[in-house]
Amino acid sequence: MASFWEYANPLKFMRTTDWLLPIVTWAAVIVTTVGLVWGFFFTSDDFRQGSTVKIIFLHVPSAMMAINIWVMMLVASLVWLIRRHHVSALAAKAAAPIGLTMTLIGLITGAVWGQPMWGTWWAWDPRLTSFLILFLFYLGYIALWAAIDDPDTGADLTAVLCLVGSVFAVLSRYAAIFWNQGLHQGASLSLAPGTRMDWAYKAPLYTCMVGFGLVFVALLLAGTRTEIRARRMKALVTRERMA
Amino acid sequence: MGLRVTDLSCARGGLPLLEGVSFSLEAGQALVLRGPNGCGKTTLLRTVAGLQPALAGQVDLPPEAIAYAAHADGIKSTLSVAENLAFWAAIYGTSSFEEALDRMNLRALAGRAAQNLSAGQKRRLGLARLLVTGRPLWVLDEPTVSLDTASVALFGDVVRRHLQAGGMALIATHIDLGLPEAEILDLASYKARLPEIGAGTFDEAFL
Amino acid sequence: MGLRVTDLSCARGGLPLLEGVSFSLEAGQALVLRGPNGCGKTTLLRTVAGLQPALAGQVDLPPEAIAYAAHADGIKSTLSVAENLAFWAAIYGTSSFEEALDRMNLRALAGRAAQNLSAGQKRRLGLARLLVTGRPLWVLDEPTVSLDTASVALFGDVVRRHLQAGGMALIATHIDLGLPEAEILDLASYKARLPEIGAGTFDEAFL
Amino acid sequence: MISLLTRDLRLALRAGGGFGLGLAFYLILAVLVPLGVGPAPATLALIAPGILWVGALLACLLSLDRIFALDFEDGSLDLLATAPVPLEAVVSIKALAHWLTTGLPLVLISPVMGLLLFLPSEAYLWLILSLTLGTPALSVIGTFGAALTVGLKRGGLLLSLLVLPLYIPTLIFGAEVVSRGAQGLSVSTPLALLAGITAGAVALLPFASALVLRINLR
Amino acid sequence: MISLLTRDLRLALRAGGGFGLGLAFYLILAVLVPLGVGPAPATLALIAPGILWVGALLACLLSLDRIFALDFEDGSLDLLATAPVPLEAVVSIKALAHWLTTGLPLVLISPVMGLLLFLPSEAYLWLILSLTLGTPALSVIGTFGAALTVGLKRGGLLLSLLVLPLYIPTLIFGAEVVSRGAQGLSVSTPLALLAGITAGAVALLPFASALVLRINLR
Amino acid sequence: MMPDLGSYALEVSLAYVASLGLIGLLALWYWLRGRVVRRQLEEIETRRGEANG
Ligand code: HEM
Ligand SMILES: Nc1ncnc2c1ncn2[C@@H]1O[C@H](COP(=O)(O)OP(=O)(O)OP(=O)(O)O)[C@@H](O)[C@H]1O
Ligand SMILES: Nc1ncnc2c1ncn2[C@@H]1O[C@H](COP(=O)(O)OP(=O)(O)OP(=O)(O)O)[C@@H](O)[C@H]1O
Ligand SMILES: [Mg+2]
Ligand SMILES: [Mg+2]
C-alpha cells in the first residue's frame, strides 16, 4: 500500500486534489445548502427562544469548526516540525484565514443571538472570552506568516508559535472558567437547562456541521493548492534571478 | 587539527548559490576567498561558522573551534572599548584583553565609548575581539573595510602571528591584505547549477 | 560654479578635529581626501554637506547643490531596488531612474527587495542614488567599501562621466579609486591644535 | 511630497511595516481590561469612555518610534534633510502617514471596542467624532516627540515619557466628550476645545519638529 | 554567564538603555486612567487591581523588543550563538536581565500606584506578592515573543500581538489574587495557579526561545 | 415562502446574511487569489520553457 506520506509530495498532492477538489466543493455546497435551508425554512420556532433558535445552525457549526481548525493546524505544524513535509506547513498556512473567518462568524452570530437571549451583545463569559482569545491567536499566527519573507523560516516559526500558543490557549480556557462562571450554554446539545434538544433541530444541525466541515475541507484544498503554487513561483523567481 | 571542507553546497534565501566547494586548511595556513559581489562569500563563511545549515557536504571542524567576524562587529556603542573587549573575553573564558588592546593599537582609546569611534577605529575594535577568543580558526568577512593603510598592515601582522602560533584563517576580501603566503580560492567557478526540471513537475523543494 | 572651502574648522563631539582646511573645486574636478582613521574625514564631509555647522570658516556652495552619500545608504530593505530609486528620483524631482539602473549594473536586480542584496550589491544601489539626484557636487564617504574590482571600475567610470558633464566630486577613501586625474588632499596636516590655556582660565567654549 | 507619502504608506503595508498592529493593540487592550477589572457590565460601562481614549492614545504612542527611527538608522533622514524638500513638509507628511496608518483605523474600529466594553449606545457617535477630531493631534504631537528622541537607540519608552504629558489635554477633552455623551449632557465645550487643540497642533508643531530634527541630525 | 548578565544590566543603565522607563510608563498610566475615567475614589478602587495588573503587563510588553533587537542589529547575537555558551542559557539570562530591569522595579513601585488608585489597604500585600510571582512569567514569555520576531524590522507591535494572548492566563490569575485580596476572600487557589504558570514557563519556554532564535539566525 | 420570523426577524436574518457573506467573501478571495497565482505560475513556466528552447 502506498504510504500516506506520499500525499505530502506537492506534485502528488496537486494531482490528487485535481479531481478531489471539485467533488468536495460540490458536496460542501449541497450539504451546507440543504442544512441551512432545512434549518431556516423547515424548523419551527422554539417556545422560549422564538425564531432566534434558527441561529444555532450557523453558530454551533462555525464555533466548532473554529476550534477544530486550530487543532488541525496544530497537527499540521507538528508534522512539519517532525517530518518536514512542505505541504503540511502550507496547509496550516492556508487553514488559518478559514479559522479566523469561522471564529468571526461564531462571534457575530453569538453576539446577534445574545441580544435577544441575554439582553446584551456581549458578555465576559468564559466561553466567549476564550473564543475571543482564539481570535487573537489566529490574528497573531496570520500576522507572523505575513511578516516573514523566507518560506521555510516562516513555516518553522509559525509552527512553534502554534505549539506554544495551543498550550496557552488551553490555559486561558481554564483561567477564564475560573475567573467567571458565565451565561453560555453547557456542552450538551441542550437549548435550555434540563431540556434535551429535539431531533427536529438536531438533524439539520448535524447536517450543517457536516456541511461546514466540507466547506472547510474545500477551502483548505483550494488554499493549499494556491500556497503550493505560490511557493513554487517564489522558488522559480529566485532561481531566475540567480541565472 | 585542520579544517577540511568537502563538497559543500550552500544556499541563501532558499536558493543554492555555491556547490561542490572543497578545500582544506592545516595549522598555520590561511586561505583567501575571492569572487565578485553576490557570489556567496558571506553565505559560505556563515555555513562554515555553523550559523546556517549546509545544503550538502560537510565541514569537519566543530563550530567550537571557530571565531567568526562579520560585517557587523557586535560592538555595544554605549560601552567603552575596554568594556566591550572584557565582555567577550569573559564569554570565551580567556582572561586577558590587555594584549589585544595593545596589538590592535587601541590602548589610547580604551576608555572611550564605542559610539564615539570613527568607522576605522570601530573596525579595529571588532578585530581585537578575535584575539580574545583564543580559537584556532578565524573566519573573517571583509575584515579590512574602512581601515587605513597603517591599520591594514597592523592587521596583517596580527594574522601572521596567529598563523605562526598554529592558527588558521579563512578570509573573504576584495582588496589586498598584504598576506602573500595565503592561498587564494576563487569562488566564481563553484557557482551552483540547478538541476533542470520540466514545467509542471515539482518535488519537495519546489524547484 | 565651484566649491570653495576657506579656512574651515570642524568639531566632533564638542572637540575640534580639523582646522584651517582650505581647498577649491571647479566644475569637472575631483578631490580625494585621505588621512588615517579617525582624523576627521567623515566630520569634514558632513560639514561640507551642511549636516553639521562649521566651527569656523566657510563653505560657499549652498547645500542645495550637494548630494551626500554616507556609509548608511538610505535604502529601505522592504522596497525593491527599483522602488528605492524611484522614490529618490521623485524626491529630487528628476524623472528617470532607468539610466541609473543600467549604469550601476542593477538592471537584473531591479525587482529584488533590497534586504536580499549582498553587501556589494547594496552599495551599488546606494551609489545609483547619486545619479538620480541631478546635483553637481557629489560628497562621498568611502564609496567603494565592499565593492569588487569590476564594480570599483564601474564606479570610477560613473564618476568620470559625472566630471566630464561638469560635475564635481569630493571623496574620502583609503583605497585606490582608479581616478588618476583626481587631486589628493591629505588631512593629517590639518589636525586641530588646541589653544594653550593655563589652568583655571576657561572661556566660553570651556577649552 | 506625494512620493514620500506613498512610500511611507507602502512601507507600512509591507512586512514588518506595522500597519494594523496599532489596531490589534487596541483590540487586545479592550480584551485585557475586562479580564483584569472583572466582567461586570455596569463597571465596564462606567469606565468605557476613559479606557477607550486611553487605549487609542497608547496605540498611537506605541507606533510613534516608527515615524523617524527607521529612516534615521538607514541614513534616509540625513539624505532627506539634504534633499530639495523643506523639512517642515517632510515632518507633516510623516505625521499624516502615521495618522492614516494608525489614527484612522482606530477611529474605524472604535465602535467594536465600545461593544466589548458595554459603552452606552448614545455615546457611540461622540466616541467616533471625538476620536476623529483628536487623533490627528496625537499624531502631530507624537511626531514632535519622535523627532526629539530620534538619535537615541531604542528611545521608545523615553519617547512615551516625553509625549504622554503632551497628550493629556487631548485625552481629557476627548474622554470628556464621550462620557458626557454617554450621560446625555451637552458636549459642545469639550468638543470645541478638542478641535482647537488639534488645529493648533497641526498648524504649529511641524515647525518645532523640523527644528528639533535638524538639531538631532548634526 | 555572569558577564552576560552584568553586561545586559550595565547596558540597561547606560544612556538610552531603557531602565526606569517601564517604571515611568507605569506611573503615567496611573495618572492617565483617573484622567480618562474620572476622579471618583469608589470607581477607582473598584478597578484598581485590574488596572494595576494591566499596567504592569503593558510596561513589560513595551520593553520586550530591547531583549534581542539591539544585539541582533549589531551582530552580537550571531557572535553569541557561536560563542561557547549554550543558547538556552543566553536566553534565560536575557529574560532574567529583563526581569531585573523591568519586573522588579514594577513590583517595588506598585504600592505607590496603589495609593494613586485608592487600592483598599488589605490588597497591598497581595498586589506585591502577585506581581513578584507573576512578572517573571511575563519576562520569560516575552523573551519567547522577542525571539520569534527578532529578525523583523521594528517587530514591536507584531510582538505585542503575539505575546498578549500568551499573557492572558497570568493576567487573569494575578488580577484575581489582588481583587480577592481586596475583598478579603481566600487567594490561595489563584496564587497557586499563578505560581504554577511561572514555574512552567521558566522551566520550559527557554528551550522554545532558543530553538526559535536559532531558526531566526540562520 | 419566507418563514415568519416574528419579533426577531432582524437578528436572525442579520446572522444569516453576515455568516453567508463572510464565507462568501472568504471563498471569493481564495478563488481570486488562486486564479491570479495560477496565471502567474503558468506565465513563468512558459517563459522558462521558451528559455530552455
Ligand atoms: C458572542 C457570543 C458567543 C460566542 C463567542 C459563542 C461561542 C460558542 C462556542 C465557542 C461554542 C462551542 C462550540 C463547541 O461545542 O465546539 C458555542 C456553542 C454553543 N452556543 Fe455559543 N457563543 C456565543 C453566544 C451564544 C448565545 C447568545 C447562545 C444562545 C443563547 C449560544 C448558544 C450556543 C449553543 C446552544 C451552543 C452549543 C453548545 C454545545 O456544545 O452543545 N451561544 N458557542
Ligand atoms: N536574505 C536573502 N534572501 C535571498 N537572497 C539573498 C539574501 N541575502 C543575500 N542574498 C543573495 O544571495 C547572494 C549571495 O549573497 P552573499 O552575501 O553571500 O554575497 P557575497 O559574496 O558576500 O557578496 P559581497 O561581496 O557583495 O558581500 C547574492 O546574490 C544576494 O543577492
Ligand atoms: N559622536 C562622537 N562623539 C565624539 N567623538 C566622536 C564622535 N564620532 C567620532 N568621534 C571622534 O572624532 C574623530 C573623527 O571621526 P571621523 O568619523 O570624522 O573620522 P574619519 O576620518 O572618518 O575616520 P575613518 O577613516 O575611520 O572613517 C575620531 O577620533 C572619533 O573618535
Ligand atoms: Mg558579503
Ligand atoms: Mg569615516
Side-chain angles (χ1 to χ4, degrees):
Chain A
M1 198 197 100
S3 157
F4 167 73
W5 297 112
E6 259 181 33
Y7 294 93
N9 177 293
L11 193 58
K12 177 90 187 180
F13 180 87
M14 296 300 273
R15 291 224 179 98
T16 316
T17 50
D18 261 341
W19 56 267
L20 192 59
L21 181 59
I23 301 178
V24 178
T25 310
W26 282 114
V29 170
I30 292 169
V31 177
T32 312
T33 315
V34 167
L36 286 181
V37 167
W38 189 352
F40 190 77
F41 293 102
F42 303 106
T43 54
S44 52
D45 292 355
D46 184 73
F47 70 100
R48 280 176 57 215
Q49 308 195 356
S51 60
T52 58
V53 73
K54 293 183 197 296
I55 295 178
I56 203 172
F57 306 114
L58 292 164
H59 176 72
V60 176
S62 59
M64 281 179 71
M65 281 321 292
I67 295 165
N68 295 347
I69 291 174
W70 185 270
V71 175
M72 173 256 151
M73 281 163 51
L74 176 62
V75 173
S77 300
L78 277 172
V79 170
W80 160 250
L81 283 181
I82 295 167
R83 302 203 45 149
R84 301 202 84 72
H85 287 303
H86 285 81
V87 174
S88 63
L90 296 177
K93 183 182 185 183
I98 313 174
L100 186 78
T101 311
M102 289 296 175
T103 318
L104 206 58
I105 292 176
L107 284 170
I108 291 174
T109 52
V112 170
W113 201 353
Q115 176 60 25
M117 285 304 103
W118 306 334
T120 171
W121 296 96
W122 178 257
W124 288 96
D125 161 282
R127 189 180 301 210
L128 275 60
T129 307
S130 29
F131 211 58
L132 192 62
I133 295 169
L134 183 65
F135 184 71
L136 296 180
F137 274 118
Y138 273 121
L139 273 185
Y141 181 89
I142 294 173
L144 189 60
W145 260 116
I148 300 170
D149 200 41
D150 182 76
D152 280 6
T153 307
D156 279 331
L157 294 183
T158 50
V160 178
L161 177 70
C162 186
L163 294 188
V164 175
S166 304
V167 175
F168 278 88
V170 173
L171 272 178
S172 313
R173 178 95 179 89
Y174 287 104
I177 290 175
F178 175 82
W179 164 73
N180 181 24
Q181 323 296 336
L183 294 160
H184 198 278
Q185 309 290 327
S188 67
L189 280 173
S190 59
L191 285 182
T195 27
R196 298 209 43 84
M197 197 197 285
D198 195 73
W199 267 107
Y201 296 112
K202 263 194 200 169
L205 180 57
Y206 287 151
T207 318
C208 283
M209 285 180 182
V210 174
F212 270 60
L214 286 170
V215 167
F216 164 63
V217 175
L219 286 173
L220 177 70
L221 292 182
T224 310
R225 283 168 66 87
T226 308
E227 293 299 342
I228 289 175
R229 288 204 175 99
R231 178 78 175 74
R232 170 164 165 88
M233 195 165 75
K234 189 161 185 150
L236 289 181
V237 167
T238 6
R239 180 176 164 145
E240 241 173 30
R241 279 192 328 223
M242 198 191 75
Chain B
M1 186 182 56
L3 167 72
R4 212 163 319 280
V5 168
T6 22
D7 217 21
L8 192 71
S9 298
C10 36
R12 180 88 221 196
L15 204 77
L17 276 175
L18 292 172
E19 91 191 346
V21 182
S22 303
F23 58 85
S24 68
L25 269 181
E26 294 305 321
Q29 288 186 325
L31 182 69
V32 170
L33 300 178
R34 293 193 175 267
N37 286 142
C39 75
K41 295 180 296 299
T42 301
T43 310
L44 179 65
L45 295 184
R46 286 180 69 87
T47 313
V48 170
L51 281 166
Q52 62 176 61
L55 265 193
Q58 60 223 31
V59 177
D60 73 352
L61 197 67
E64 286 78 53
I66 300 176
Y68 172 64
H71 289 273
D73 289 314
I75 293 172
K76 289 293 160 191
S77 54
T78 50
L79 297 182
S80 73
V81 169
E83 282 169 335
N84 267 298
L85 274 181
F87 167 68
W88 288 112
I91 285 286
Y92 284 95
T94 53
S95 50
S96 160
F97 60 91
E98 296 291 330
E99 199 202 334
L101 272 185
D102 287 327
R103 281 175 58 194
M104 287 311 297
N105 194 12
L106 287 166
R107 174 65 66 192
L109 301 169
R112 177 121 39 129
Q115 69 198 147
N116 295 346
L117 298 179
S118 80
Q121 292 163 344
K122 232 176 242 167
R123 197 71 203 166
R124 286 216 301 273
L125 171 55
L127 294 174
R129 188 184 60 84
L130 291 171
L131 291 169
V132 305
T133 60
R135 291 187 161 183
L137 174 60
W138 289 0
V139 170
L140 311 176
D141 200 354
E142 304 196 39
T144 55
V145 156
S146 299
L147 291 184
D148 60 18
T149 348
S151 303
V152 171
L154 189 75
F155 170 71
D157 285 345
V158 167
V159 173
R160 208 165 289 119
R161 278 198 33 199
H162 175 65
L163 297 180
Q164 276 158 12
M168 296 168 282
L170 181 62
I171 309 175
T173 184
H174 294 295
I175 57 177
D176 191 40
L177 291 177
L179 280 177
E181 67 272 37
E183 279 173 63
I184 290 183
L185 181 73
D186 198 316
L187 288 181
S189 50
Y190 295 100
K191 198 157 184 274
R193 268 173 308 272
L194 297 175
E196 206 44 68
I197 302 168
T201 62
F202 40 99
D203 72 344
E204 274 292 279
F206 298 95
L207 282 169
Chain C
M1 188 183 53
L3 166 72
R4 213 164 319 281
V5 168
T6 23
D7 216 21
L8 192 71
S9 299
C10 36
R12 182 86 221 194
L15 211 75
L17 276 176
L18 293 170
E19 87 190 350
V21 182
S22 304
F23 58 85
S24 68
L25 270 180
E26 294 306 319
Q29 287 186 325
L31 181 69
V32 169
L33 299 178
R34 293 195 174 268
N37 287 143
C39 75
K41 297 181 293 301
T42 299
T43 311
L44 179 65
L45 295 185
R46 286 181 68 87
T47 313
V48 170
L51 282 166
Q52 63 175 62
L55 266 191
Q58 63 223 28
V59 178
D60 74 351
L61 196 69
E64 286 78 53
I66 300 178
Y68 173 64
H71 289 274
D73 290 314
I75 293 172
K76 289 293 161 192
S77 54
T78 49
L79 296 184
S80 72
V81 169
E83 283 169 335
N84 267 298
L85 274 181
F87 167 68
W88 288 111
I91 285 287
Y92 284 94
T94 52
S95 50
S96 159
F97 59 91
E98 297 291 329
E99 199 203 331
L101 273 183
D102 287 326
R103 281 177 58 193
M104 286 313 293
N105 193 13
L106 288 166
R107 173 67 62 193
L109 302 169
R112 178 135 20 145
Q115 67 198 148
N116 295 347
L117 298 179
S118 80
Q121 292 163 341
K122 231 177 244 168
R123 196 74 203 164
R124 287 216 299 273
L125 171 56
L127 294 174
R129 189 185 59 87
L130 291 170
L131 291 170
V132 306
T133 60
R135 290 188 163 182
L137 174 59
W138 289 359
V139 170
L140 311 176
D141 199 354
E142 306 196 37
T144 56
V145 158
S146 300
L147 292 185
D148 60 17
T149 347
S151 304
V152 171
L154 189 76
F155 171 70
D157 284 344
V158 167
V159 173
R160 208 167 289 121
R161 281 205 20 206
H162 176 66
L163 298 180
Q164 276 158 12
M168 296 168 284
L170 180 63
I171 308 176
T173 184
H174 294 295
I175 58 177
D176 191 39
L177 292 177
L179 279 177
E181 67 272 37
E183 280 174 62
I184 290 183
L185 180 73
D186 197 318
L187 286 181
S189 50
Y190 295 99
K191 197 157 184 279
R193 269 172 307 273
L194 298 180
E196 208 45 72
I197 303 170
T201 61
F202 41 95
D203 73 343
E204 274 289 281
F206 297 101
L207 281 171
Chain D
M1 291 298 30
I2 296 294
S3 55
L4 183 57
L5 183 64
T6 47
R7 181 192 74 148
D8 274 15
L9 294 180
R10 190 183 285 158
L11 282 173
L13 291 174
R14 291 282 160 96
F19 175 78
L21 290 168
L23 263 184
F25 177 83
Y26 199 38
L27 241 171
I28 290 174
L29 194 80
V31 178
L32 286 189
V33 166
L35 289 178
V37 167
T43 319
L44 288 175
L46 189 65
I47 62 172
I51 298 293
L52 286 174
W53 254 94
V54 171
L57 198 147
L58 290 174
C60 258
L61 197 75
L62 292 185
S63 45
L64 288 183
D65 69 336
R66 292 173 173 272
I67 299 181
F68 293 120
L70 288 175
D71 276 349
F72 179 76
E73 277 164 22
D74 65 17
S76 303
L77 212 52
D78 275 351
L79 300 178
L80 278 175
T82 57
V85 282
L87 208 50
E88 286 76 10
V90 170
V91 165
S92 309
I93 293 284
K94 292 239 157 214
L96 177 60
H98 179 259
W99 184 75
L100 287 177
T101 53
T102 312
L104 189 61
L106 289 184
V107 173
L108 297 180
I109 206 176
S110 58
V112 179
M113 313 284 303
L115 214 71
L116 288 177
L117 293 177
F118 305 110
L119 189 73
S121 55
E122 311 80 49
Y124 281 86
L125 175 65
W126 301 121
L127 177 67
I128 296 176
L129 195 65
S130 68
L131 282 176
T132 316
L133 270 177
T135 44
L138 298 184
S139 289
V140 177
I141 299 173
T143 307
F144 173 65
L148 267 179
T149 55
V150 74
L152 308 171
K153 293 250 156 218
R154 305 275 139 174
L157 275 169
L158 171 59
L159 176 58
S160 317
L161 193 62
L162 291 175
V163 166
L164 269 177
L166 303 178
Y167 274 180
I168 285 181
T170 319
L171 169 68
I172 292 182
F173 295 127
E176 189 70 16
V177 169
V178 185
S179 66
R180 288 203 182 191
Q183 295 161 43
L185 303 174
S186 148
V187 300
S188 54
T189 324
L191 208 56
L193 288 168
L194 189 64
I197 290 179
T198 301
V202 170
L204 299 176
L205 267 181
F207 296 97
S209 312
L211 179 66
V212 156
L213 205 53
R214 243 181 234 115
I215 294 172
N216 261 329
L217 285 184
R218 77 169 177 232
Chain E
M1 292 297 33
I2 296 292
S3 53
L4 182 58
L5 183 64
T6 48
R7 183 193 74 147
D8 274 14
L9 294 179
R10 192 183 282 157
L11 283 173
L13 291 173
R14 293 280 159 95
F19 175 78
L21 290 168
L23 266 182
F25 177 83
Y26 200 38
L27 256 169
I28 288 176
L29 193 79
V31 177
L32 284 189
V33 166
L35 287 178
V37 167
T43 319
L44 288 176
L46 189 64
I47 63 172
I51 296 294
L52 288 175
W53 253 94
V54 172
L57 200 148
L58 290 175
C60 255
L61 195 77
L62 294 185
S63 45
L64 287 182
D65 67 338
R66 291 170 175 275
I67 298 181
F68 294 119
L70 288 175
D71 275 350
F72 179 77
E73 277 164 22
D74 65 15
S76 304
L77 214 51
D78 275 350
L79 300 178
L80 278 175
T82 54
V85 283
L87 207 51
E88 286 78 10
V90 170
V91 165
S92 309
I93 293 283
K94 293 243 159 213
L96 177 61
H98 179 258
W99 184 74
L100 287 176
T101 52
T102 312
L104 190 61
L106 289 184
V107 174
L108 297 179
I109 208 177
S110 58
V112 179
M113 311 284 304
L115 223 67
L116 286 176
L117 292 178
F118 304 104
L119 188 73
S121 55
E122 310 82 49
Y124 280 88
L125 174 64
W126 302 120
L127 177 66
I128 296 176
L129 195 65
S130 70
L131 282 176
T132 317
L133 269 177
T135 44
L138 299 184
S139 290
V140 177
I141 299 171
T143 307
F144 172 68
L148 265 181
T149 53
V150 72
L152 308 170
K153 296 252 155 216
R154 304 276 138 167
L157 275 169
L158 173 60
L159 177 57
S160 317
L161 182 63
L162 294 177
V163 166
L164 269 176
L166 303 178
Y167 275 179
I168 284 177
T170 319
L171 169 68
I172 290 182
F173 293 128
E176 192 70 16
V177 169
V178 185
S179 68
R180 290 204 180 189
Q183 295 161 44
L185 303 174
S186 150
V187 299
S188 54
T189 324
L191 209 57
L193 289 168
L194 188 64
I197 289 181
T198 302
V202 169
L204 298 177
L205 269 182
F207 296 96
S209 312
L211 175 68
V212 154
L213 205 53
R214 244 181 234 115
I215 294 170
N216 261 326
L217 286 184
R218 77 175 180 225
Chain F
M1 185 63 227
M2 191 70 186
D4 175 25
L5 294 174
S7 52
Y8 300 128
L10 179 68
E11 278 85 0
V12 177
S13 38
L14 197 69
Y16 273 76
V17 169
S19 309
L20 294 177
L22 276 173
I23 292 183
L25 275 181
L26 182 74
L28 187 72
W29 180 50
Y30 266 49
W31 181 66
L32 282 180
R33 196 172 109 78
R35 223 177 49 157
V36 168
V37 170
R38 198 175 64 228
R39 291 252 171 88
Q40 287 173 340
L41 183 61
E42 269 161 16
E43 183 193 320
I44 288 174
E45 287 193 329
T46 46
R47 200 186 326 144
R48 262 165 52 88
E50 281 161 15
N52 292 340

